[in-house]
Amino acid sequence: MPQPTPRHEPNLALHIEDLTVAYNDKPVLWDIDINVPPGVLAAIIGPNGAGKSTLIKAVLGLLKPSAGHIYLHGEPYAKQRRRVGYVPQRSSVDWDFPTTALDVVTMGLYGQLGWLRRPGRAARTKALSALEQVGMADYAERQISQLSGGQQQRVFLARALVQDAQVYFMDEPMAGVDATTERVIIGLLKKLREQGKTVIVVHHDLQTVATYFDFLLLLNVRLIAQGKTSEVYTAENLRAAYGGQIALLQTAQIPQTPPTVAETV
Amino acid sequence: MFEFDFTLRNVMLGAALLGVSSGVLGSFALLRQQSLLGDALAHAALPGVCLGFLLTGSREPLPIFVGALLSGALAAGFTMLLTSRSRLKTDAALGASLSIFFAFGLVLLTFIQSRSGSGQAGLEAFLFGQAAAIVPSDVRLMAVVAVAALLTVALLWKEFKLLTFDPQFAASLGFPRLPLELLLTSILAFAIVIGLQLVGVVLMAAIIIAPAAAARQWSDSLGQMVGLAALFGALAGVSGALLSASGRGLATGPLIIIAASLIALASLLFAPERGLIASAYRARGARRELEQQRVLLDMYGLAQQHSDPSYPSESGMLRALYGGSPEAQLRRLEAAGLAEHTTHVPGEGTHYRLTEAGWARAEAALNSLGHHA
């Protein structure tokens, strides 16, 4: 009599234990343990080569870890695909591909449609409303190569919205976008959090990270720190993650020690 | 006469089948930036052709097709292995497997030819194609292969589109990336075996790339592009067949390739949005606009310095400001109703002054540049 496999850490949106990923024998992620509670807006930060994108790709099963396990709401990714949304780096695709913004957004529904079935009118309606949410309704029929970088990023975001997921992973959605797009994106991320969803974002801008996100994962091949922004956004942790590069920051803005409980309340 | 028409019909049918299937699959190869893959698969088909002949001892199309498919698949797998296990990039890996497999094919070919008594070989036809040798059973087999390839694309349209545009996202949705890529590569090999007898392995890459590249010029939707590529491919195939039938000693395969290349060349030049001529024309228009605007703003500046909106600027002075000869621009401004010429003092050079429309246009231009008049 086969027992149903017990769910592992079902109360965590993302649970990673002992994760190691290596490219050509060189570890990119080393012995990572991560626990992200549901309903937070989390940022993954760390210097170039810290393994931020690799972490997301490992979670989504796009590359095979050398060791460790990853659970989303208590189940491995293969069982949770329909509850996970993904925004890859904008530069990972060729935007000269012959298609429209609406069509790209519709691709977010391909997983729900499954094999062979084609998107119909319902899919079109969903895709249009997602485009509207990112302020791109007027560009639905626009050829994607004619969109600006920020508009392309919003199309990618709309594609993730139609996935209607519980947990979202976004790889640098605010890299190289204009101020308008950044406002639209952060507004949307907060709305997703209000709906009780978990959003995990690779972020590169240390100036905005504390205002945008309430949960942080500091990464540099190893996990440096994780937790509420108010607790882990400290000069000490940033220095540990970024090393000498931290000199570039206005360290004055960053608390030297974690605020005491009295301060945060 | 009947026999000639009969052969021609076979060749035309075969060429059309080749054109349609290579146009469709070439579109995906082109968009995946794997145009060279067609070339590698085609060259790698040669050892399979020879082995198929050696094992069965006949030129029956089926064993030769199967051999070609298998050695093409082997080459594709070898390439994937090279790129994933070594530091070689895809282009280098494709180049390497192309030449290794082709060299092996040539060795087998010369071995077969050197064996006495096997007069029926004639396998060198697969190097450059020998359309006249095509018989109805060949065409039937080509049709089966083409229908299988096209049907697969039609069924998995959505999956192939996503795989081509964003393979990582496709994988995150649970579409298995590697098997789908292998499938797409295998049906590209289908298109190639259709062309073995018609154009041969050496020239095959062009019929894969050219119709797709031409179609991309005319369309911004994947469906239209693939349809057009099929049409262009068929057009090239049929016209190549007809051209070679119209004259003595003109080989069909190369003519098909030339026809496809001409279609691609014409598309690169003349397509309305992406064509070279259209973009050169647009660039010239933009340059003119800028030059014209510069003269307009010079006149505006002079008029403002003199606090006189209809201040007549002398063309000599404008020339000094403009640093070239502004006459052509002035004539265009006049034609557009933005400036008019006027005589100021008899004996001096021509003067120009802004019209009201010109004044408004200059202020609008300054505003759009962020200056506030």
Side-chain angles (χ1 to χ4, degrees):
Chain A
M1 192 64 189
Q3 294 275 317
T5 40
R7 281 151 42 94
H8 183 56
E9 299 286 356
N11 298 323
L12 289 169
L14 173 66
H15 165 71
I16 297 177
E17 213 170 309
D18 300 337
L19 178 72
T20 295
V21 180
Y23 288 126
N24 301 324
D25 302 330
K26 188 172 162 264
V28 187
L29 290 174
W30 182 255
D31 198 20
I32 303 271
D33 295 325
I34 285 174
N35 291 307
V36 179
V40 296
L41 189 46
I44 305 174
I45 57 174
N48 290 334
K52 304 184 295 282
S53 299
T54 305
L55 177 65
I56 287 191
K57 286 179 185 167
V59 172
L60 299 179
L62 301 179
L63 39 87
K64 207 172 161 339
S66 319
H69 62 240
I70 301 168
Y71 283 79
L72 293 146
H73 283 291
E75 304 269 7
Y77 178 68
K79 285 195 177 171
Q80 294 284 40
R81 279 185 211 288
R82 301 291 162 264
R83 297 175 71 192
V84 175
Y86 176 39
V87 179
Q89 278 185 25
R90 181 163 56 90
S91 57
S92 67
V93 305
D94 177 11
W95 289 91
D96 197 33
F97 190 83
T99 193
T100 60
L102 183 68
D103 195 39
V104 172
V105 177
T106 312
M107 290 176 186
L109 295 163
Y110 283 11
Q112 296 160 34
L113 284 167
W115 290 93
L116 307 182
R117 266 180 61 203
R118 299 284 178 86
R121 190 174 299 166
R124 193 188 151 83
T125 317
K126 275 188 201 169
L128 273 173
S129 96
L131 274 174
E132 210 172 289
Q133 287 182 60
V134 298
M136 291 282 296
D138 294 342
Y139 298 87
E141 298 298 333
R142 190 69 68 88
Q143 168 67 20
I144 54 171
S145 61
Q146 290 167 4
L147 301 173
S148 73
Q151 291 170 334
Q152 291 172 347
Q153 188 67 61
R154 281 191 260 169
V155 169
F156 257 17
L157 206 68
R159 183 177 70 174
L161 287 181
V162 300
Q163 289 188 273
D164 193 21
Q166 274 304 310
V167 188
Y168 283 97
F169 292 90
M170 307 187 179
D171 203 343
E172 303 231 12
M174 283 176 263
V177 304
D178 50 289
T180 321
T181 300
E182 184 154 334
R183 267 198 307 278
V184 170
I185 292 177
I186 196 66
L188 263 167
L189 299 191
K190 288 184 171 161
K191 206 191 284 175
L192 289 171
R193 179 179 56 188
E194 279 163 27
Q195 294 166 8
K197 305 185 172 195
T198 313
V199 185
I200 300 172
V201 177
V202 173
H203 196 64
H204 61 283
D205 184 1
L206 285 177
Q207 306 295 343
T208 53
V209 75
T211 47
Y212 287 170
F213 299 95
D214 56 7
F215 198 93
L216 286 187
L217 300 164
L218 272 87
L219 202 64
N220 190 354
V221 183
R222 292 160 183 270
L223 187 76
I224 307 294
Q226 63 178 324
K228 286 182 186 157
T229 306
S230 56
E231 286 161 15
V232 298
Y233 190 69
T234 63
E236 192 187 344
N237 280 339
L238 288 172
R239 207 173 293 122
Y242 286 83
Q245 300 170 47
I246 199 69
L248 297 169
L249 281 162
Q250 299 168 323
T251 32
Q253 291 180 0
I254 301 159
Q256 289 295 316
T257 49
T260 61
V261 180
E263 271 170 19
T264 39
V265 177
Chain B
M1 198 62 212
F2 168 76
E3 205 175 66
F4 170 73
D5 284 342
F6 186 67
T7 309
L8 178 60
R9 198 200 65 178
N10 285 337
V11 172
M12 274 171 58
L13 260 173
L17 286 169
L18 167 68
V20 170
S21 38
S22 63
V24 170
L25 292 158
S27 297
F28 285 99
L30 187 82
L31 291 173
R32 294 175 67 212
Q33 293 163 4
Q34 291 199 334
S35 304
L36 200 58
L37 183 65
D39 204 21
L41 284 176
H43 279 79
L46 189 63
V49 168
C50 295
L51 282 174
F53 173 82
L54 274 176
L55 290 178
T56 61
S58 78
R59 278 199 55 187
E60 282 298 306
L62 191 61
I64 282 177
F65 274 28
V66 172
L69 272 179
L70 287 181
S71 66
L74 205 63
F78 179 61
T79 310
M80 280 184 182
L81 207 69
L82 272 183
T83 42
S84 65
R85 291 293 148 87
S86 76
R87 286 172 183 273
L88 280 185
K89 299 275 179 261
T90 312
D91 59 341
L94 279 172
S97 61
L98 179 155
S99 31
I100 293 167
F101 276 76
F102 191 57
F104 184 53
L106 286 178
V107 169
L108 284 175
L109 190 66
T110 43
F111 168 72
I112 291 168
Q113 280 168 334
S114 69
R115 286 199 313 178
S116 53
S118 61
Q120 85 274 46
L123 283 184
E124 67 279 359
F126 289 107
L127 281 180
F128 299 107
Q130 194 184 37
I134 288 179
V135 294
S137 65
D138 296 338
V139 178
R140 273 197 295 277
L141 189 57
M142 286 176 185
V144 170
V145 174
V147 167
L150 296 177
L151 216 60
T152 313
V153 173
L155 274 174
L156 293 173
W157 178 261
K158 159 177 128 259
E159 286 77 9
F160 284 158
K161 176 160 87 175
L162 184 57
L163 179 80
T164 306
F165 173 62
D166 194 345
Q168 281 186 5
F169 188 70
S172 85
L173 293 181
F175 296 107
R177 179 173 177 175
L178 197 65
L180 277 174
E181 278 176 352
L182 275 174
L183 185 61
L184 202 50
T185 305
S186 328
I187 48 180
L188 180 63
F190 276 31
I192 283 161
V193 299
I194 297 174
L196 280 178
Q197 290 162 288
L198 279 160
V199 298
V201 298
V202 176
L203 294 174
M204 195 76 72
I207 193 71
I208 301 284
I209 299 165
R216 179 66 189 99
Q217 291 293 104
W218 300 94
S219 170
D220 272 341
S221 113
L222 181 66
Q224 276 177 21
M225 175 186 168
V226 167
L228 266 179
L231 189 74
F232 287 153
L235 193 69
V238 171
S239 51
L242 284 173
L243 277 175
S244 92
S246 69
R248 267 190 167 279
L250 295 178
T252 315
L255 280 174
I256 292 176
I257 299 302
I258 289 174
S261 307
L262 284 178
I263 293 173
L265 188 67
S267 305
L268 286 175
L269 287 177
F270 301 115
E273 282 291 323
R274 306 169 67 95
L276 289 174
I277 290 177
S279 53
Y281 189 79
R282 275 198 303 275
R284 201 184 70 156
R287 202 167 54 234
R288 267 196 188 165
E289 187 104 336
L290 268 179
E291 285 168 352
Q292 205 171 306
Q293 187 177 322
R294 214 176 125 194
V295 174
L296 189 78
L297 291 181
D298 286 345
M299 290 172 76
Y300 177 83
L302 282 170
Q304 270 214 327
Q305 279 168 30
H306 292 85
S307 315
D308 173 11
S310 63
Y311 172 77
S313 313
E314 201 200 339
S315 55
M317 188 189 269
L318 287 171
R319 185 177 302 132
L321 274 173
Y322 181 68
S325 60
E327 275 77 14
Q329 268 70 40
L330 284 167
R331 272 198 305 278
R332 275 190 212 110
L333 284 173
E334 197 171 6
L338 299 174
E340 57 196 6
H341 74 268
T342 158
T343 28
H344 186 47
V345 180
E348 261 189 5
T350 325
H351 285 63
Y352 284 86
R353 67 176 176 221
L354 291 174
T355 62
E356 267 178 41
W359 184 263
R361 175 75 65 88
E363 295 202 317
L366 281 176
N367 274 330
S368 74
L369 291 172
H371 297 266
H372 295 285

